[in-house]
Amino acid sequence: MSLSIILSMSTFALAASISPGPVNLVCLSSGTRHSIYKGMVFVTGATFGFIALFIAIGLGLYTALEMIPALNILLRWGGVIFLLYLSFKLAVFDGQLPENQSDKPPSFITGAMMQWLNPKAWLASASGIGAYTSGNDMQQVLIFSAIYLPICWLSLGSWVYAGAFLRRYINQPTILKTINRTLAILLVGSCFYLITE
């Protein structure tokens, strides 16, 4: 595989990973509400969940879903329900950040699961596999996955750090509440995309 293809794959992975989407919004919110360490646990789960999805699509899962429309519909509505749940959790956040935060941060499993219900992850995987690999070539898919993994982790992590920055400099409860409610509205908006797509 040539250096130009690897650089092209890297650019694609960066653009797809760092651009706003449901997972990125949860990373940002986690940074405003929890420690960076706890946010990075979610990021790690989301990254491994995405890589598992990416490899599965590279090995033909996307084709199988196209052949069984009922699974596609189930996945879509599962994504809508999950995103609405996360939106609710963001919307009810009261903006208070006590030392002993009782609110549970999003977990590793939540991150991994969210990618499988995330339309952006499916689109990025399918378009990346289609553009940079030929057919079901396992070696190409694994090389692309190895390139994608650190880029995805660092990109999602940057959203957690952005949230931590907001928390440090805008720590008034009303402002944090407004930020999280705005993020909740954006997540609900991504549900409309899922429903109308």
Side-chain angles (χ1 to χ4, degrees):
M1 195 171 281
S2 69
L3 180 61
S4 62
I5 293 291
I6 290 172
L7 289 174
S8 188
M9 285 177 168
S10 300
T11 303
F12 176 88
L14 180 62
S17 299
I18 207 160
S19 59
V23 174
N24 307 72
L25 296 177
V26 173
C27 290
L28 182 66
S29 174
S30 181
T32 65
R33 299 166 61 190
H34 306 286
S35 69
I36 289 173
Y37 170 77
K38 289 178 181 174
M40 295 308 288
V41 169
F42 172 79
V43 165
T44 303
T47 301
F48 281 109
F50 176 79
I51 295 302
L53 174 66
F54 189 82
I55 291 170
I57 287 177
L59 298 178
L61 177 62
Y62 195 75
T63 306
L65 282 174
E66 286 182 335
M67 292 175 6
I68 309 169
L71 285 177
N72 203 7
I73 292 166
L74 185 66
L75 179 71
R76 181 179 305 226
W77 283 103
V80 168
I81 291 165
F82 191 68
L83 291 176
L84 288 174
Y85 166 75
L86 291 172
S87 300
F88 172 76
K89 296 288 278 180
L90 286 173
V92 299
F93 172 62
D94 64 2
Q96 299 295 328
L97 296 169
E99 288 301 313
N100 296 321
Q101 186 78 353
S102 59
D103 180 29
K104 285 188 178 179
S107 66
F108 180 96
I109 297 297
T110 301
M113 218 172 66
M114 192 170 179
Q115 290 289 31
W116 283 77
L117 299 171
N118 178 6
K120 181 188 167 197
W122 282 84
L123 182 62
S125 297
S127 56
I129 292 291
Y132 295 103
T133 67
S134 52
N136 293 333
D137 187 326
M138 180 66 147
Q139 183 180 6
Q140 289 178 345
V141 170
L142 291 178
I143 289 170
F144 200 177
S145 298
I147 292 167
Y148 225 125
L149 190 139
I151 292 170
C152 181
W153 190 80
L154 291 169
S155 297
L156 294 178
S158 70
W159 284 82
V160 173
Y161 274 89
F165 175 84
L166 287 174
R167 176 181 176 165
R168 187 176 301 129
Y169 293 101
I170 310 171
N171 59 5
Q172 296 146 351
T174 54
I175 295 174
L176 286 172
K177 191 189 311 185
T178 302
I179 289 169
N180 279 283
R181 288 193 176 157
T182 302
L183 294 174
I185 290 167
L186 292 172
L187 275 179
V188 170
S190 67
C191 290
F192 285 112
Y193 171 78
L194 269 177
I195 294 167
T196 58
E197 185 61 19

